[in-house]
Amino acid sequence: MTTPEIAQKAPFQVDVEAGRSYWWCACGQSKRQPFCDGSHKAGPFVPVEYKPAETGTVWMCGCKRTGNQPLCDGTHNTF
Ligand code: FES
Ligand code: FES
């Protein structure tokens, strides 16, 4: 597997707290999207840490093809 699975062709809305660590699933196989649940272990992908500077709402990439991990950059609109 060299390309990640598409978890969904749309971002996940997530409420985040400033300074807290979030581990975004990069492989697309997690059952707790958009976060890593350890399912990546058999493949080449590792989760991406996200530590927001501000508390608020963000849109995390669900298609796993964003150029701005872990946030959605609109790439899912090209499918
Ligand atoms: Fe996808 Fe960990 S389960 S990166
Ligand atoms: Fe992946 Fe938007 S959901 S770029």
Side-chain angles (χ1 to χ4, degrees):
M1 185 177 72
T2 53
T3 51
E5 276 187 28
I6 295 173
Q8 70 175 22
K9 292 179 181 174
F12 293 92
Q13 182 178 356
V14 182
D15 294 327
V16 297
E17 288 173 35
R20 194 176 149 190
S21 282
Y22 298 86
W23 292 91
W24 175 76
C25 168
C27 73
Q29 295 182 51
S30 172
K31 299 290 184 271
R32 337 175 10 241
Q33 293 294 334
F35 304 111
C36 173
D37 71 353
S39 297
H40 61 271
K41 292 217 167 74
F45 297 99
V46 292
V48 173
E49 184 178 20
Y50 178 60
K51 212 179 232 192
E54 294 177 9
T55 295
T57 302
V58 298
W59 294 88
M60 289 192 178
C61 173
C63 72
K64 314 302 177 183
R65 303 296 194 276
T66 179
N68 183 33
Q69 296 180 352
L71 304 178
C72 172
D73 71 352
T75 298
H76 66 271
N77 288 316
T78 65
F79 299 143

